Amino acid sequence: MMDEGEVRALAGRLEAMGALIGLAVDPAYRENVAWYLAELLDAADLLTGLPLGEAIEPSPIFRP
Amino acid sequence: MTLDAAGAVEIAGAVRARRITAEKIAVATVARIAERDPAVNCFTAVTAERALADARRIDAIVASGGDPGPLAGVPFAVKNLFDVQGLTTLAGSTINRERPAAARDAAAVRALARAGAVLVGALNMDEYAFGFTTENTHYGATRNPRDHEHMAGGSSGGSAAAVAAGLVPLALGSDTNGSIRVPAAFCGVFALKPTYGRVSRAGAALFAASFDHVGPFARSTRDLALAFDALQGHDADDPVSIDQPPAPCLPQLDAGPNGLRLAVAGGDFREAGDPAVFAAVDRVAAALGVSRRVTIPETACARAAAMLITASEGANLHLDDLRTRAADFDPNTRDMFLAGAFVPAAAYVQAQRFRTWYRDRLREVFREVDVLITPTTPCAAPRIGEGRRDFGAGEIWLRPHLGVYTRPFSFVGLPALTVPIPRPGDLPLGVQLVAAPFAETSLFRVARRLEADGLVAAPVP
């Protein structure tokens, strides 16, 4: 779990991160967006630490 | 017949037997909505003209000796993310107001209309279905009909509240992480999130395509089964629709749970909630004679993966608007969508791979169990505006936590039915019944037994 300081630091990086993907986050929203993003990155951390094995594929909807 | 408390079966029976006309029911329903909806704020549009025209058409079929369908003259309303011909599909937003009106009804709306039901309007929701509260900044909060100071839940809050308030006997909603089940539990009604792919989503605005489901709300198991039976079936217009023969639930409704293997979910499903919700599960288990408990592995990862996929797919759908007009979003959803745009692609793919792994674990569970019993929500409906709460392990954000028991099942598309536990002098609670894919019939058999025993009910306040 990110602490308050880390979330604030993440908010500070949102401008640069947004520039990379063409998404400008209004300064008024940044702190709140950073809280949600911190939660998502925690979730990503939890999942990417889980060994799944190469045989496990996503379930695509795509049908040729 | 008291029309506000009358169920779909009762209304359809009366119309078919010519004891009342569908037109009279439509007129009374529209009048009731005009009188009572301002206090609860469920409806964003009332389709009075269409309702009258459809009702007269049903009456003409009855008069000519034809079959008007099993839902003859039954009023229903839909979450405003379903296309309704002639209405703009708002999906809870103001951005969508600029879009043209829908040229055709959504598949689920057509299915109910084909069965004789009469559409009376569109219902409030969280913007783009991202939320569990229906505290919509643009259209106002939908209030819980059982206590107006409390939230209706979401994102299908208008659907649950309209049924609970007696404005309509049937409504349609959508469920991505719990958006049918959470508001149904808070408002004290029955609702079903069917198996993924069982009911067509064609013509419904998507939120996170991997998990989006369509399902009905009602005040009895019989009405719910009647609606579900009209809705289920393959539709080539929905890419995830599964070509599986329909399995009507109504004929099996009174079969009882004998022969079904029932169990209570332990582990995470006994944590992070109010003691009252676990007591409600225990009451249901005791009434059914269930003592078995099973633990589902890695539910924390399932919730994490569901969050990542939801946020990523939601952000992807709305990326253009997030780039160009973020200020026009509801502040309650905007920041979540913006955050979703920054999820690393590798994490999204890992979440989708985990979904396959977790589905296989749940298949193992459901080889041993037919119906699993869990709480639907961690608490009764919170007060409107409540932001944080302590469930015993420190204060947490309440809103995302409201789906703590529903997310792990929509994540892998399992059917789940929530039954309402009335509590005199207090807000109702929901108990969730979950089954293997396409085993909705098992859910109805258990739910109906609980209803017949008087343990679960959805009285109009």
Side-chain angles (χ1 to χ4, degrees):
Chain A
M1 288 279 285
M2 287 193 200
D3 62 33
E4 216 168 317
E6 290 169 312
V7 173
R8 210 164 292 133
L10 181 61
R13 287 197 287 269
L14 277 179
E15 187 178 2
M17 290 164 62
L20 291 172
I21 59 169
L23 181 65
V25 179
D26 190 296
Y29 315 152
R30 278 184 201 151
E31 193 170 332
N32 209 28
V33 172
W35 276 108
Y36 288 120
L37 181 55
E39 201 175 334
L40 290 168
L41 294 176
D42 284 338
D45 220 29
L46 179 68
L47 272 179
T48 48
L50 197 74
L52 287 177
E54 290 175 10
I56 303 286
E57 293 187 32
S59 298
I61 298 166
F62 177 76
R63 288 174 190 139
Chain B
M1 182 164 61
T2 312
L3 282 179
D4 58 350
V9 170
E10 190 180 2
I11 290 171
V15 169
R16 292 168 67 91
R18 302 190 194 195
R19 290 196 300 274
I20 192 167
T21 63
E23 181 177 351
K24 190 170 178 188
I25 286 166
V27 168
T29 302
V30 169
R32 196 164 60 245
I33 293 166
E35 182 196 334
R36 297 192 200 167
D37 188 58
V40 282
N41 192 33
C42 299
F43 280 80
T44 53
V46 177
T47 53
E49 272 184 40
R50 171 181 167 153
L52 284 178
D54 288 351
R56 287 175 187 143
R57 188 176 47 77
I58 296 294
D59 289 333
I61 294 171
V62 172
S64 68
D67 182 358
L71 290 169
V74 175
F76 76 105
V78 299
K79 187 176 185 176
N80 71 26
L81 57 63
F82 289 92
D83 283 352
V84 170
Q85 188 179 8
L87 288 186
T88 294
T89 308
L90 297 175
S93 74
T94 50
I95 291 172
N96 283 25
R97 269 190 207 154
E98 298 162 16
R99 295 186 175 184
R104 186 183 189 209
D105 289 346
V109 176
R110 293 200 307 274
L112 292 185
R114 258 196 317 274
V118 172
L119 181 76
V120 296
L123 299 160
N124 200 15
M125 57 181 282
D126 287 293
E127 186 182 56
Y128 297 126
F130 206 164
F132 287 125
T133 67
T134 313
E135 294 168 308
N136 187 306
T137 303
H138 309 307
Y139 301 100
T142 293
R143 297 180 175 276
N144 193 309
R146 303 192 189 277
D147 184 334
H148 294 177
E149 299 303 311
H150 289 251
M151 56 177 74
S155 63
S156 311
S159 308
V163 171
L167 300 180
V168 282
L170 287 181
L172 286 180
S174 67
D175 188 314
T176 305
N177 287 295
S179 283
I180 285 175
R181 293 160 287 163
V182 169
F186 284 176
C187 292
V189 295
F190 296 86
L192 174 71
K193 184 206 74 62
T195 307
Y196 186 67
R198 181 69 120 167
V199 173
S200 176
R201 310 169 312 175
L206 295 178
F207 166 26
S210 290
F211 309 139
D212 288 334
H213 304 68
V214 165
F217 296 77
R219 291 191 300 271
S220 73
T221 57
R222 203 167 294 281
D223 286 2
L224 196 70
L226 193 60
F228 174 59
D229 287 352
L231 289 165
Q232 60 171 311
H234 178 244
D235 180 6
D237 288 340
D238 178 356
V240 308
S241 177
I242 293 175
D243 195 359
Q244 173 104 357
C249 292
L250 198 57
Q252 298 292 316
L253 194 62
D254 293 310
N258 283 351
L260 294 176
R261 298 163 300 171
L262 313 179
V264 171
D268 281 7
F269 292 91
R270 304 292 296 187
E271 293 168 9
D274 284 342
V277 304
F278 306 126
V281 167
D282 292 342
R283 278 182 61 205
V284 165
L288 295 165
V290 179
S291 55
R292 186 175 178 191
R293 276 204 189 184
V294 297
T295 300
I296 300 170
E298 301 292 358
T299 45
C301 283
R303 293 183 189 106
M307 270 175 56
L308 287 167
I309 294 169
T310 302
S312 304
E313 293 187 0
N316 170 268
L317 267 182
H318 300 290
L319 195 54
D320 282 349
D321 288 331
L322 291 168
R323 281 182 168 138
T324 57
R325 52 189 303 186
D328 293 337
F329 280 74
D330 185 330
N332 289 327
T333 61
R334 177 195 59 221
D335 299 346
M336 296 191 289
F337 279 124
L338 283 167
F342 293 101
V343 170
Y348 174 84
V349 174
Q350 178 80 351
Q352 286 285 13
R353 290 177 64 219
F354 175 77
R355 191 178 177 208
T356 302
W357 181 90
Y358 185 73
R359 177 202 61 193
D360 293 344
R361 300 292 80 73
L362 282 179
R363 280 181 178 170
E364 289 165 7
V365 168
F366 282 102
R367 272 200 278 275
E368 307 292 324
V369 172
D370 294 307
V371 174
L372 202 56
I373 306 166
T374 85
T376 306
T377 58
C379 54
R383 284 184 174 278
I384 289 173
E386 185 176 344
R388 295 175 73 83
R389 192 181 285 195
D390 186 349
F391 289 100
E395 249 191 18
I396 55 171
W397 288 105
L398 183 60
R399 290 167 192 188
H401 188 67
L402 297 176
V404 66
Y405 306 129
T406 51
R407 264 200 185 103
F409 302 116
S410 31
F411 178 55
V412 285
L414 301 183
L417 195 159
T418 182
V419 293
I421 312 282
R423 296 190 299 165
D426 210 338
L427 287 163
L429 293 168
V431 168
Q432 179 177 229
L433 309 171
V434 187
F438 305 106
E440 283 90 353
T441 301
S442 302
L443 302 178
F444 276 101
R445 286 168 59 189
V446 175
R448 173 61 192 144
R449 168 56 59 85
L450 294 168
E451 182 183 39
D453 288 350
L455 193 60
V456 305
V460 173

